[in-house]
Amino acid sequence: MRYKEMAASKGKPFPFKHAWAILQTFDKWKLRDQETAPKKSPMLRMDDSEDEEKERNLGKPEGTKKGKQRVKMEGEASSLREKMEQMMKAREELTRKTLETKILITEKKKEVKLAQVEAKREEAKRKVDLEERMIKVKEAKDYKEDIAERKRIFRGASSTFRGGGDGGVDDSNGGA
């Protein structure tokens, strides 16, 4: 195709013949010649989708601006992916620490409960020991009272035998 027949030329000759001699060998400019000129309209077509644009630009090499934009978007996506991974790791770490804390709290509660049970057991044992000592003291007191009563009875009985004279045995050696 010749430089005069380009779609955007509007019937005018291309003023940069020296540039066209170089540019016409590149794919971008070869494909441009095959495209139809865009129709001018007062309003832009709003129903053009990205798919149509991709189809139209399928064989064209990527321009510098689009290349930079693609690299930037890939970098942002990569950065977002890394941030998401960091957030997920941080969340997992937080969840792990929370679970560890809950386990520790549960273990501490068990220890406190066991300590309370042990304290109650010790208190009950002390009460039983105290009651046993009280019983022994009471038994010892009752035993002492019983012995004192027996001694009193025995003294009373022995005083009757010794000189009370009501027919009892005489302990003295006076009649032999």
Side-chain angles (χ1 to χ4, degrees):
M1 189 159 274
R2 302 173 104 204
Y3 65 88
K4 291 181 180 180
E5 299 173 5
M6 286 182 60
S9 65
K10 296 184 183 179
K12 298 178 188 175
F14 189 65
F16 305 106
K17 294 177 185 175
H18 61 283
W20 178 247
I22 298 169
L23 292 175
Q24 70 183 352
T25 61
F26 292 104
D27 288 338
K28 181 175 181 179
W29 296 100
K30 286 180 185 177
L31 292 172
R32 183 175 177 165
D33 287 342
Q34 295 171 1
E35 286 184 356
T36 59
K39 294 181 180 177
K40 299 222 173 188
S41 66
M43 300 268 299
L44 292 175
R45 281 184 38 195
M46 300 301 278
D47 60 344
D48 276 350
S49 66
E50 288 183 20
D51 293 337
E52 289 176 6
E53 186 177 324
K54 287 180 182 176
E55 286 177 17
R56 197 171 1 144
N57 295 329
L58 187 62
K60 292 182 181 179
E62 189 175 60
T64 306
K65 187 175 181 180
K66 278 200 174 184
K68 287 181 179 179
Q69 187 178 16
R70 180 183 49 80
V71 169
K72 181 181 175 185
M73 294 295 277
E74 287 174 355
E76 288 175 357
S78 174
S79 175
L80 286 174
R81 233 178 276 117
E82 289 173 3
K83 287 179 183 175
M84 288 295 290
E85 287 173 1
Q86 289 174 352
M87 286 174 36
M88 292 300 289
K89 285 179 182 177
R91 184 179 177 117
E92 288 172 0
E93 182 68 19
L94 180 63
T95 303
R96 186 185 58 78
K97 285 183 179 180
T98 302
L99 287 174
E100 287 175 356
T101 304
K102 285 182 179 179
I103 289 170
L104 286 174
I105 289 171
T106 303
E107 289 174 356
K108 290 290 183 185
K109 284 181 179 179
K110 284 181 183 178
E111 288 175 8
V112 167
K113 194 73 167 177
L114 286 173
Q116 288 174 343
V117 168
E118 189 63 30
K120 286 180 181 179
R121 190 177 299 150
E122 288 294 322
E123 181 66 26
K125 187 176 178 182
R126 277 183 269 171
K127 283 183 180 180
V128 168
D129 288 344
L130 181 63
E131 287 176 5
E132 286 177 356
R133 278 190 256 140
M134 294 293 286
I135 290 171
K136 285 181 182 179
V137 166
K138 188 171 188 322
E139 287 175 352
K141 185 179 175 184
D142 288 346
Y143 180 73
K144 284 181 183 179
E145 288 177 358
D146 187 43
I147 289 180
E149 181 68 26
R150 286 184 185 191
K151 281 184 180 178
R152 191 176 46 79
I153 292 173
F154 183 73
R155 283 189 201 137
S158 74
S159 67
T160 359
F161 287 130
R162 285 192 185 146
D166 43 321
V169 178
D170 190 8
D171 273 346
S172 60
N173 283 336

